[in-house]
Amino acid sequence: MTIKHHLTESLLMGYAAGSLPEAFNLVVASHVSLCDDCRAAVESYEALGGAVLDDAQVAMAEDGLADCLARLETAAAEVETAPPAPRSANQAHSLPAPLRDYVGGDMDAIRWRPVGGGVKQAILRTSESASARLLFIPAGSAVPDHGHRGVELTMVLQGAFADATDRFARGDVEIADEDLEHTPIADIGADCICLAATDAPLRFRSLIPRLLQPFLKI
Amino acid sequence: MMQQRAVPTAPSSGPPAHVMRGVIAMGSWRLNDKKSAIEVEKAGLSRDMALIREARDRAAFARLFGHFAPRIKGFLIKSGTEPSVAEDCAQDVMVTVWKKAHLFDPARASVATWVFTIARNRRIDLARREKRPEPEDLGWGPEPDQTQDETLVMQQDSERLGTALAALPDAQRLLIEQCYFGELSHRDIADVTGLPLGTIKSRIRLALDKLRHAMGSTP
């Protein structure tokens, strides 16, 4: 698997700095689970965070250390908790680990809801500032032509889709903003499953999907 | 200030197998062999982490507390946390350092980096009450005979990064810091500083390019 479409520098830095909304964090964590280059970049930005700490020193209260040492007494019991076992690496048909946490299982645990034209979606529970959902696009089908009010990140988890800009396969992320109007079409070979996150509702061009938008929560 | 200790001997052979993981862990930032007084202090931090991990050493914890607690508190305050809450949370973070010491892998991150990630997650929890999705664990355990080399590399990289950051022009360094202190998007930073969004982005990019250059690689 070769990932062609990566995350931007500001998304990677924002993830390391902790300034992205939860839904975007989920896309970054999922992509980084499959992409060593972006993982390396995130770890570099975390190292920069460690360096930034040096410029932020405020004296602790006089008894701060004593208080903290006292708290270690009660904390001691939890010390032996084992690290989480490394999970099964990335088989081509499984969800990256951070997504499995949100779905409550792997691909077969996704609770799909039809949205018309064979397209299905499952909304994931994240904080309000941005929304995340899984999209199922049947092989050869299209998602209705739509534009974006904010930023939309779409990461392919299975199959592939193409739009006017390029083709996107497993692990690839398409970053769309106000300027992109596109009609993603799934490859004919396999149904396409994507993770999409946006900080604003999508804006459909045709009237019917636009009327349905409040009910579909997309 | 930390008491000074001997530094582990530098690896005498050329880049060994750890380089692959070093490169992955540090992105494009490479190592060199320069030592400094502060580096000895950083070596102390990493030694103290090992003492906590292996011997539950409270004196080592007290030294780490002396170094990191004021930094965590400052980080939280600069991120908009009330000073009294920041004091308490800095203690929380240090308790987490104690509790999770066995998860710290000196071959993958410096102590400062690791403590930063714990403080950052605490801040996200504090400000937004939301969880932070973490990437799938690669399950790389440290290989015992290489840990010392890799730890040294991490310390050196961490130290050089700190020096490079301090050497940036004020305007650039402050922008980088604002990216880490708080919830500011580039657009918010533009509002706060009065700079147009394009200028912010190019200054941050310039600052990052300078850091990469200082770390011994071209962007």
Side-chain angles (χ1 to χ4, degrees):
Chain A
M1 178 182 66
T2 314
I3 294 176
K4 247 174 43 185
H5 300 278
H6 296 271
L7 298 165
T8 62
E9 199 162 64
S10 49
L11 282 168
L12 293 164
M13 192 176 184
Y15 178 73
S19 58
L20 300 181
E22 185 181 357
F24 284 13
N25 278 342
L26 183 57
V27 176
V28 176
S30 297
H31 176 81
V32 163
S33 295
L34 303 183
C35 177
D36 289 345
D37 289 343
C38 289
R39 182 189 292 266
V42 165
E43 292 183 1
S44 294
Y45 287 122
E46 286 176 342
L48 187 52
V52 162
L53 281 186
D54 277 346
D55 260 6
Q57 298 189 46
V58 173
M60 292 291 282
E62 229 167 87
D63 49 1
L65 175 61
D67 284 356
C68 198
L69 283 169
R71 291 168 64 180
L72 297 189
E73 300 295 342
T74 50
E78 295 170 58
V79 163
E80 291 308 320
T81 318
R87 310 193 214 192
S88 60
N90 308 298
Q91 287 112 20
H93 295 292
S94 79
L95 293 174
L99 257 180
R100 288 204 294 271
D101 289 344
Y102 279 77
V103 166
D106 213 323
M107 296 271 193
D108 53 4
I110 301 170
R111 296 217 298 270
W112 294 111
R113 301 266 185 278
V115 292
V119 177
K120 295 183 280 185
Q121 72 166 2
I123 293 173
L124 304 176
R125 187 182 294 273
T126 60
S127 63
E128 302 267 305
S129 47
S131 63
R133 68 199 191 284
L134 293 162
L135 272 176
F136 177 99
I137 314 165
S141 301
V143 173
D145 192 13
H146 64 279
H148 310 86
R149 248 171 261 161
V151 174
E152 185 189 41
L153 309 176
T154 307
M155 175 180 163
V156 178
L157 302 164
Q158 175 190 298
F161 73 81
D163 63 16
T165 63
D166 208 341
R167 179 175 179 275
F168 299 81
R170 179 167 160 94
D172 284 335
V173 180
E174 179 172 49
I175 300 167
D177 60 13
E178 285 93 342
D179 300 330
L180 182 72
E181 296 266 350
H182 66 162
T183 307
I185 300 173
D187 273 17
I188 197 73
D191 298 331
C192 180
I193 295 177
C194 300
L195 167 65
T198 179
D199 60 359
L202 298 191
R203 185 183 67 222
F204 285 97
R205 281 171 68 89
S206 58
L207 183 63
I208 299 301
R210 206 187 302 154
L211 290 176
L212 285 175
Q213 207 166 330
F215 304 103
L216 299 179
K217 285 181 66 183
I218 54 177
Chain B
M1 262 298 149
M2 303 294 304
Q3 87 186 69
Q4 302 228 330
R5 286 184 201 75
V7 205
T9 328
S12 51
S13 56
H18 76 256
V19 165
M20 209 37 230
R21 280 194 290 177
V23 165
I24 289 170
M26 289 303 291
S28 51
W29 295 336
R30 284 194 259 114
L31 61 142
N32 79 355
D33 291 326
K34 207 176 128 217
K35 289 191 180 69
S36 70
I38 307 171
E39 211 168 277
V40 175
E41 179 183 331
K42 302 271 174 177
L45 298 176
S46 148
R47 184 83 44 91
D48 284 335
M49 266 314 295
L51 284 169
I52 293 172
R53 197 172 61 226
E54 280 139 39
R56 314 310 297 165
D57 186 320
R58 281 162 183 269
F61 179 82
R63 287 191 294 269
L64 277 193
F65 186 97
H67 181 86
F68 283 114
R71 287 169 165 80
I72 300 163
K73 184 176 177 181
F75 166 70
L76 292 170
I77 290 174
K78 284 197 179 181
S79 306
T81 309
E82 286 292 316
S84 60
V85 177
E87 168 84 23
D88 205 44
C89 286
Q91 288 190 28
D92 281 351
V93 171
M94 290 310 296
V95 171
T96 304
V97 166
W98 173 264
K99 290 200 296 198
K100 294 195 168 174
H102 57 291
L103 296 177
F104 172 67
D105 179 353
R108 291 198 42 198
S110 72
V111 185
T113 302
W114 188 65
V115 170
F116 164 73
T117 62
I118 295 173
R120 171 201 64 197
N121 292 357
R122 187 75 184 87
R123 192 198 72 205
I124 292 174
D125 181 52
L126 196 67
R128 296 188 258 158
R129 299 253 159 247
E130 65 184 44
K131 57 179 174 175
R132 181 177 186 279
E134 297 289 343
E136 184 151 341
D137 196 338
L138 293 183
W140 290 331
E143 292 156 46
D145 56 334
Q146 285 175 1
T147 303
Q148 184 122 338
D149 291 355
E150 293 181 17
T151 303
L152 187 67
V153 168
M154 276 301 154
Q155 285 161 202
Q156 289 170 339
D157 279 342
S158 170
E159 169 50 28
R160 291 174 57 223
L161 188 54
T163 310
L165 182 66
L168 285 179
D170 284 352
Q172 287 175 14
R173 198 185 64 253
L174 290 175
L175 278 179
I176 294 278
E177 289 178 358
Q178 276 176 312
C179 294
Y180 285 86
F181 297 141
E183 308 291 304
L184 297 182
S185 68
H186 289 179
R187 195 159 293 164
D188 298 330
I189 297 174
D191 290 343
V192 171
T193 59
L195 290 170
L197 194 56
T199 313
I200 300 280
K201 281 185 173 168
S202 60
R203 271 202 195 160
I204 290 174
R205 179 168 294 273
L206 189 64
L208 291 172
D209 285 350
K210 277 192 189 161
L211 289 177
R212 286 196 193 91
H213 182 73
M215 295 306 285
S217 69
T218 49

